[in-house]
Amino acid sequence: MRYGMAIDTKKCVGCSDCVVACQLENHVPVGYARDWIVEVTEGIYPNLALEIRSERCNHCDNTPCVRTCPTGASHIIEGGIVKVTHHECIGCGACIQSCPYDARYTHPEGYVDKCTFCDHRIKNGQDPACVSVCPTHCMYFGDLDDPNSEISRLVNTRRTKTLAPEAGTKPQIFYLI
Amino acid sequence: MKEEIITSGRLNPLIDPVLNVWHWEIPAYLFLGGLSAGLLFFASLYTIMNKEKEYSTAVKIAPIIAPIAIALGLIALMLDLKHPLYSWQLYTTIRLESPMSWGAWTLMAVMPLSVAWVAIYLDQVFPKVDRRPNIILKVLFMVIRLKDEEDENGINWEYKYKWMRDLKNWIFKNRVTMAWILMPLAIILGVYTGILLSAFNARPLWNTSLLGPLFLVSGISTAAATIMWLTESKEERVLFSRIDLVMIIVELFFIVHLFMGFLASSEVQIEAAGLFLGGHFTAPFWGLVVVMGLIVPGILEALELKGFHVPVAVPAALILIGGAIFRIIMVEAGQITRWLY
């Protein structure tokens, strides 16, 4: 079991529905965000290329945040999901410093918080909130270890990229390009 | 042309628009920790070398600063924690891959040892106390009591309880063994202040193993400057002035190598080095850290050794201020270096 996500940059329109869905589903405090939209414009007007990406924690295979955590609050659960145990977190900021994606933040209550792939939803067989609300169906969530899953087929047959792979983190969110 | 912007309005406090999770607390701790590491290193080194008499400031007096500095540093670290009530969680586990776990356990070991070190020499450094108790004395009366012998300089004192006196004598007898334990711990503490930063591969400016030795040498240099400033013996001052000069040269050598390494590395590290080579931090780094904090005191110390009269406070204070600014700049600049956007 290896959960991952594939996001089709050709289908994403940057509506931010995933951002709002996450904030509602996970009671993200006002002013904070666990996922976000990045727009990349390349070229010189009028010859421009646009890429829109919905970004979040990459639930990396090689996790600098888990490695640098001094208490073990940052940990990996089944399926490779990176989570934070709130009552073990001292709020030192080491994991925030160690994340190349700046995917973590300090919750106003003091502990560090981040995307959980909505593990409370996937336990019940549902998709993460961001995936389930996407109006263009540009996000796919599933088991990368299962060769017959939709996400495996997409990642294997389409051209993909990951974010900052040179940081060595082995991200598990694949952007279809 | 390439423009990357976050359009969903992510404005996570302390993360956006640029990462700024760590403020003055971390550089303050790095400075105080490095200084204490250096002071304890010299104290144990000259105890092992059996030079307690010749270099009594290094062995007996300067280490008094260490537990005070570590305590202040720990207070700074606690202030930095956003979930401080859970800080005991540091001591429920040992995580070998996490530098901060190493640091927490090292501090746990160094703190009592440094207090013990100060305690065994306290009656030699301050053999008599004043008749009229001041505030510090009132606190000390929890652990000391006055003896009967009294002369015009004050009253002799001893530790209040018999077990304290026995413990003190036992540690004093075994102080060479203690020095052997303290020295590696002091080195780990000094290296840790740099490794803490260098373990973060996400911050290209910090992500170089050279930071460990660089911070260690800088900490030892600030300690040598402190001892040089405190001592009244000419022999000791000359020795620590020489040691400091060597440390300054090693530090300059490391700084050159730091930038050579960055410029020969990947794009993110070249950009990180750019902050100091024409970017925002160029003037404070080269002006305040390298020239004011290393080269000028180095020249002053060399002149002093040549026989010119230079007030020792000047190079010593410059080294200490330079060391503090160095850590502030490294922590500030490192946080704005990144991989994306």
Side-chain angles (χ1 to χ4, degrees):
Chain A
M1 180 80 90
R2 185 45 172 114
Y3 286 123
M5 216 181 254
I7 299 170
D8 195 336
T9 60
K10 300 280 190 219
K11 279 160 82 180
C12 178
V13 293
C15 68
S16 297
D17 248 16
C18 47
V19 179
V20 177
C22 171
Q23 285 164 333
L24 283 174
E25 174 70 30
N26 297 299
H27 308 289
V28 177
V30 176
Y32 292 74
R34 291 185 186 181
D35 55 353
W36 57 94
I37 305 289
V38 174
E39 288 191 15
V40 188
T41 316
E42 270 184 284
I44 296 168
Y45 183 81
N47 303 313
L48 298 169
L50 177 69
E51 179 180 283
I52 305 175
R53 298 192 299 251
S54 167
E55 296 187 2
R56 62 194 45 53
C57 168
N58 280 277
H59 296 276
C60 305
D61 250 359
N62 182 16
T63 45
C65 49
V66 173
R67 199 166 56 237
T68 48
C69 176
T71 67
S74 275
H75 63 288
I76 301 170
I77 63 169
E78 207 209 332
I81 299 174
V82 180
K83 285 198 72 179
V84 181
T85 311
H86 297 165
H87 65 268
E88 284 180 13
C89 175
I90 60 172
C92 66
C95 56
I96 295 178
Q97 298 285 11
S98 71
C99 177
Y101 310 103
D102 290 344
R104 292 167 164 253
Y105 56 83
T106 312
H107 191 280
E109 282 172 22
Y111 53 81
V112 168
D113 208 11
K114 64 183 281 297
C115 163
T116 60
F117 263 170
C118 284
D119 64 326
H120 59 289
R121 284 173 61 90
I122 54 179
K123 250 184 271 172
N124 302 330
Q126 295 170 297
D127 273 338
C130 52
V131 175
S132 65
V133 298
C134 180
T136 65
H137 299 291
C138 78
M139 288 192 247
Y140 306 87
F141 178 81
D143 182 5
L144 289 161
D145 278 349
D146 174 5
N148 295 319
S149 66
E150 190 179 19
I151 181 175
S152 290
R153 279 192 286 110
L154 278 168
V155 168
N156 289 328
T157 55
R158 291 268 306 265
R159 280 185 62 213
T160 63
K161 71 169 181 186
T162 52
L163 295 179
E166 52 298 0
T169 50
K170 299 207 179 356
Q172 296 302 307
I173 293 192
F174 297 88
Y175 292 92
L176 308 173
I177 50 175
Chain B
M1 227 200 98
K2 186 175 181 181
E3 185 194 52
E4 284 186 292
I5 43 170
I6 297 178
T7 54
S8 62
R10 186 185 77 172
L11 271 175
N12 291 341
L14 307 182
I15 313 290
D16 297 306
V18 285
L19 191 83
N20 194 11
V21 176
W22 288 348
H23 305 110
W24 63 270
E25 297 93 342
I26 299 293
Y29 163 71
L30 297 182
F31 175 75
L32 294 167
L35 174 66
S36 314
L39 291 171
L40 295 174
F41 171 77
F42 283 126
S44 41
L45 179 71
Y46 288 110
T47 303
I48 290 167
M49 288 169 71
N50 201 14
K51 302 264 189 194
E52 288 156 314
K53 287 216 171 59
E54 292 89 329
Y55 306 128
S56 63
T57 308
V59 175
K60 299 174 188 173
I61 299 172
I64 295 174
I65 298 170
I68 300 169
I70 295 175
L72 290 174
L74 281 172
I75 291 171
L77 284 185
M78 286 297 284
L79 290 175
D80 169 71
L81 296 182
K82 311 291 188 298
H83 220 198
L85 291 178
Y86 292 80
S87 52
W88 53 272
Q89 288 280 0
L90 284 169
Y91 298 107
T92 58
T93 175
I94 295 179
R95 303 194 63 84
L96 294 178
E97 284 191 321
S98 163
M100 219 180 256
S101 182
W102 274 84
W105 283 103
T106 308
L107 280 169
M108 182 72 129
V110 168
M111 185 68 198
L113 287 178
S114 67
V115 171
W117 191 276
V118 172
I120 60 173
Y121 288 116
L122 211 54
D123 55 350
Q124 295 182 32
V125 180
F126 301 109
K128 289 175 194 298
V129 295
D130 202 327
R131 245 177 246 98
R132 294 168 310 248
N134 54 29
I135 275 202
I136 297 172
L137 265 184
K138 276 182 185 152
V139 176
L140 280 177
F141 277 147
M142 286 195 284
V143 287
I144 68 171
R145 67 172 186 198
L146 300 177
K147 290 206 263 190
D148 297 334
E149 310 125 42
E150 180 179 352
D151 59 27
E152 68 278 5
N153 294 323
I155 312 172
N156 284 328
W157 60 274
E158 64 182 1
Y159 287 106
K160 200 169 184 175
Y161 305 105
K162 187 172 179 300
W163 67 266
M164 283 179 156
R165 293 193 291 274
D166 292 345
L167 186 65
K168 185 216 140 190
N169 292 335
W170 182 77
I171 299 174
F172 189 75
K173 217 165 59 197
N174 295 299
R175 62 189 184 281
V176 177
T177 315
M178 181 157 152
W180 277 111
I181 300 170
L182 199 55
M183 192 155 72
L185 283 173
I187 293 172
I188 293 175
L189 184 65
V191 173
Y192 159 68
T193 60
I195 292 295
L196 170 71
L197 300 182
S198 74
F200 299 124
N201 136 301
R203 310 294 149 210
L205 179 72
W206 295 343
N207 192 214
T208 160
S209 47
L210 203 53
L211 235 50
L214 178 56
F215 274 63
L216 173 68
V217 171
S218 170
I220 289 179
S221 169
T222 53
T226 308
I227 297 169
M228 180 175 99
W229 197 351
L230 288 177
T231 183
E232 280 165 8
S233 128
K234 179 151 189 296
E235 191 194 347
E236 201 174 13
R237 195 172 67 238
V238 169
L239 173 80
F240 280 93
S241 192
R242 280 200 183 131
I243 291 176
D244 200 33
L245 203 50
V246 173
M247 292 301 142
I248 289 171
I249 292 164
V250 175
E251 235 180 301
L252 288 170
F253 173 80
F254 278 165
I255 287 172
V256 171
H257 274 244
L258 186 73
F259 286 99
M260 277 173 64
F262 283 146
L263 293 175
S265 184
S266 56
E267 188 188 348
V268 285
Q269 290 201 310
I270 296 171
E271 276 171 16
L275 285 177
F276 295 84
L277 304 170
H280 265 4
F281 291 91
T282 312
F285 181 77
W286 298 101
L288 297 177
V289 177
V290 176
V291 176
M292 189 201 83
L294 292 171
I295 294 176
V296 170
I299 291 172
L300 292 177
E301 281 168 17
L303 286 176
E304 163 94 39
L305 292 174
K306 283 266 174 227
F308 290 88
H309 180 71
V310 181
V312 66
V314 177
L318 286 178
I319 288 281
L320 289 168
I321 296 168
I325 297 175
F326 172 57
R327 286 157 176 81
I328 294 169
I329 289 179
M330 285 307 280
V331 171
E332 279 292 309
Q335 293 185 88
I336 64 174
T337 60
R338 60 204 303 175
W339 284 85
L340 291 167
Y341 321 131

